[in-house]
């Protein structure tokens, strides 16, 4: 019974501590001295119809996660995909490659430029629809990895 009586106090203390504004970092600092960036839609240089939008969305999400999405610098670029397939004893394994070239600029001046390439293997699937779904899932994961690497590369 004593534990139940103390529960409101514990909950109130936890809520107070979570709202006190305590932070472990000073925030993201991008090259050129800005702390925020917006992301333009990325040019799609591949046959995958949504890869440019996927990369741009992953970059926006990464900037928002780090508290750095907003007016300041501008990130834009080109996303390309490639891949291959190999038949192994367990079935057909395919590889998708995502390569992104991005620039960070402010007021028309390029502050940094990075190219990031990531690869992932996936099972091709029993039919074309399943294979495309697995490829899309691999590209989604790679877009997140590329976004993290780009933001890290643009950091001062």
């Amino acid at each position: 019974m004593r534990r139940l009586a103390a529960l409101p106090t514990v909950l109130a203390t936890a809520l107070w501590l979570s709202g006190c504004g305590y932070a472990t970092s000073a925030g993201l600092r991008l090259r050129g001295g800005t702390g925020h960036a917006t992301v333009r839609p990325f040019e799609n240089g591949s046959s995958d119809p949504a890869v440019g939008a996927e990369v741009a969305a992953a970059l926006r999400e990464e900037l928002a996660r780090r508290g750095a999405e907003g007016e300041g610098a501008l990130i834009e670029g080109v996303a390309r995909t490639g891949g291959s397939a190999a038949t192994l004893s367990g079935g057909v394994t395919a590889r998708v490659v995502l390569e992104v070239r991005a620039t960070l600029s402010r007021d028309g001046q390029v502050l940094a430029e990075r190219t990031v390439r990531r690869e992932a293997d996936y099972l091709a699937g029993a039919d074309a629809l399943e294979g495309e779904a697995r490829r899309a899932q691999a590209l989604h994961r790679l877009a997140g990895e590329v976004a993290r690497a780009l933001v890290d590369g643009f950091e001062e």
Side-chain angles (χ1 to χ4, degrees):
M1 191 63 149
R2 274 178 125 170
R3 283 188 220 163
L4 289 177
L7 187 60
T9 304
V10 170
L11 287 174
T13 303
L15 285 172
W16 179 79
L17 287 174
S18 69
C20 71
Y22 177 76
T24 58
S25 69
L28 182 68
R29 198 77 178 144
L30 298 170
R31 295 187 187 269
T34 185
H36 294 84
T38 57
V39 180
R40 278 200 184 146
F42 270 54
E43 183 182 327
N44 187 356
S46 74
S47 60
D48 290 285
V51 73
E54 185 85 34
V55 169
L59 267 167
R60 287 185 195 102
E61 185 177 311
E62 184 64 21
L63 287 169
R65 189 180 69 74
R66 298 186 192 196
E69 186 180 26
E71 295 299 317
L74 175 68
I75 300 174
E76 57 190 340
V78 179
R80 291 184 172 82
T81 59
S84 62
T87 303
L88 303 174
S89 60
V92 176
T93 300
R95 172 169 287 184
V96 63
V97 177
L98 176 60
E99 184 174 285
V100 176
R101 189 184 82 239
T103 58
L104 175 72
S105 62
R106 187 171 64 187
D107 300 325
Q109 179 184 3
V110 174
L111 304 171
E113 195 168 16
R114 296 283 183 267
T115 299
V116 176
R117 178 186 166 105
R118 295 289 187 269
E119 300 178 10
D121 292 334
Y122 62 96
L123 290 175
D127 59 32
L129 189 59
E130 183 180 358
E132 273 305 305
R134 289 182 177 176
R135 179 180 171 89
Q137 186 177 34
L139 277 171
H140 178 76
R141 188 176 65 250
L142 291 177
E145 291 176 17
V146 164
R148 283 186 292 282
L150 285 171
V151 173
D152 287 346
F154 290 151
E155 201 170 7
E156 278 190 336

